[in-house]
Amino acid sequence: QQPVQSPQAVILREGEDAVINCSSSKALYSVHWYRQKHGEAPVFLMILLKGGEQKGHDKISASFNEKKQQSSLYLTASQLSYSGTYFCGTESQAGTALIFGKGTTLSVSS
Amino acid sequence: GAVVSQHPSWVICKSGTSVKIECRSLDFQATTMFWYRQFPKQSLMLMATSNEGSKATYEQGVEKDKFLINHASLTLSTLTVTSAHPEDSSFYICSARVGGLEQFFGPGTRLTVL
């Protein structure tokens, strides 16, 4: 089952914050976040494992609520380079293929 | 991060011909690779899981006779689109997992069938 991402699109000015959500109807082992720019392959951002992880790098962080089967990606003080489509990929068992949500398009302007 | 390469980057072919796309893990061994297809402005749709030395596992709705997958070594998986038609035009992306956790994508191959 494909995870559900929200919102579908976000428009920001530089310096503003955004939250992208990913929810699943199935129990999850892990959630993976990627950013894809037009015409390019997805770039790995981070992985969160079951057990309720939170992690971050620079101004991008994420959390995983295993009970709620939800993950959120937090982008703070957005930069122009953050523009792109963000996908969450979920796996219900370790080592299986990721199933991706429909994506959230983020546009950051100056 | 680990590096996954794909070849070619793009290909244009005539309807009815077959096209082979290679996916290589450059600095690690991948017992499992995944093939995805992405139509414009849509999500990545899993086509199949490729396992080294065994038959690929195809997702429901993906024709195994049309999309032939071969994973002959720990660093190479190939996808052959047989008798390609315009509706097969898409962005094909492979990925491989490192240590069972992180999944890294190749740069993708854009297939255009005329």
Side-chain angles (χ1 to χ4, degrees), chain B residues 12-114:
Chain B
I12 301 172
C13 68
K14 292 184 178 180
S15 187
T17 60
S18 295
V19 175
K20 180 186 281 189
I21 302 170
E22 293 184 348
C23 175
R24 292 181 186 274
S25 57
L26 297 186
D27 51 0
F28 66 100
Q29 293 183 329
T31 54
T32 303
M33 291 183 175
F34 305 97
W35 286 96
Y36 292 84
R37 180 168 56 183
Q38 186 177 34
F39 292 107
K41 296 189 178 180
Q42 293 190 23
S43 185
L44 298 99
M45 299 304 297
L46 178 67
M47 297 176 68
T49 300
S50 170
N51 300 296
E52 187 267 336
S54 65
K55 290 184 179 179
T57 304
Y58 291 81
E59 293 300 300
Q60 196 171 13
V62 177
E63 301 173 55
K64 61 179 70 174
D65 294 331
K66 180 169 184 62
F67 298 99
L68 301 178
I69 291 173
N70 184 283
H71 196 153
S73 77
L74 288 171
T75 58
L76 173 65
S77 175
T78 60
L79 168 69
T80 302
V81 183
T82 62
S83 187
H85 288 95
E87 57 267 29
D88 298 324
S89 298
S90 187
F91 193 47
Y92 291 86
I93 314 175
C94 70
S95 69
R97 302 198 75 150
V98 180
L101 290 176
E102 297 172 18
Q103 187 167 322
F104 292 91
F105 285 86
T109 297
R110 188 161 303 283
L111 170 65
T112 304
V113 185
L114 301 176

Side-chain angles (χ1 to χ4, degrees), chain A residues 49-93:
Chain A
L49 301 177
K50 75 173 191 175
E53 277 198 317
Q54 291 182 327
K55 58 174 61 171
H57 182 68
D58 289 337
K59 294 190 169 76
I60 299 176
S61 62
S63 64
F64 177 24
N65 187 320
E66 186 183 352
K67 273 188 177 179
K68 292 184 179 179
Q69 296 163 192
Q70 291 177 349
S71 176
S72 295
L73 184 72
Y74 307 92
L75 303 133
T76 57
S78 60
Q79 305 167 17
L80 294 175
S81 60
Y82 285 7
S83 294
T85 301
Y86 289 78
F87 291 100
C88 68
T90 60
E91 64 173 339
S92 52
Q93 293 180 27

